[in-house]
Amino acid sequence: MQKSECHGVVQLRNRKAGSCDQRTSSSVQIKHRTTVQQSNSSSLTSSPETARKAHPRPSDKLNPKTINPFGEQSRAPSAFAAIYSKGGIPCRLVHGSVKHRLQWECPPENLPFDPLLITLAEGLRETKHPYTFVSKEGFRELLLVQGAPEKAVPLLPRLIPVLKAALVHMDDEVFARGLNALVQLSVVVGPSLNDHLKHLLTSLSKRLRDKKFKEPITSALQELEQHGGNGSLIIIKSKIPTYCSICC
């Protein structure tokens, strides 16, 4: 009996020792895995590739391998920018020491207004240089050529929606360019603009609530009245009752 009891005690001790060894071994394995993971994590963090991604160098912008295909630079260019880059606008920007100017490939009076004038009007919604200057100045210079009224009037049904898109734009500079273009067009086409005026006055009425635009919009409305005659005044008053006529 004593021998069997002693033998049982020894077996129990061996089992406890075995389970303890297993727990110790498991603990060592877990610690080893944690150490390896930390080591891998630190090596990834400190690798040159990771450091370069966190702090990109200026030269990375020129390397196609470092360009993020989902980044801002991968966005498709606007229609106007695409046309300009392909030479669809027959002029180029000349940088001057004081101000910029356009150099046309041929005299502007020899250029067809369709679709050039509409394309330039679409460019008024651009927000980046040189597209902002090219569209604004190109639109203005094209309307100054001899025979501009005869060329511009037939395009009014297509021009007005494009100008309206600039006038409803959230960017203040885009709106200002659209407003100036509208006045320039009014000088050229005169009362022919009256039939389309109501489509533009709603956006002007909304912008009048902004104090910084009250004076330029009022001045533009006076220009529209001056070149559009009595017919334009009736249309302006119907949309903007607070407008005071230049004849008052």
Side-chain angles (χ1 to χ4, degrees), residues 33-116:
R33 290 174 185 172
T34 304
T35 303
V36 171
Q37 290 175 353
Q38 291 176 348
S39 176
N40 291 338
S41 176
S42 62
S43 64
L44 287 173
T45 304
S46 60
S47 66
E49 182 71 19
T50 305
R52 190 189 61 196
K53 289 181 179 179
H55 303 284
R57 297 168 297 183
S59 59
D60 289 343
K61 296 180 180 180
L62 304 177
N63 185 359
K65 294 181 180 180
T66 61
I67 295 177
N68 179 8
F70 302 102
E72 182 178 356
Q73 64 269 26
S74 66
R75 295 177 182 175
S78 64
F80 181 83
I83 293 173
Y84 180 78
S85 63
K86 293 178 181 179
I89 311 296
C91 64
R92 65 183 182 90
L93 177 63
V94 178
H95 295 272
S97 57
V98 179
K99 62 179 182 178
H100 306 320
R101 65 181 180 86
L102 293 181
Q103 180 173 327
W104 296 89
E105 295 177 0
C106 63
E109 55 268 20
N110 297 336
L111 295 172
F113 274 34
D114 187 7
L116 182 56

Side-chain angles (χ1 to χ4, degrees), residues 183 201 204 208 216-226 236 240 243:
V183 171
L201 292 175
L204 298 186
L208 268 173
I217 290 177
T218 300
S219 176
L221 292 174
Q222 292 173 346
E223 291 277 355
L224 294 174
E225 178 189 355
Q226 178 181 349
I236 293 173
I240 308 176
Y243 171 72

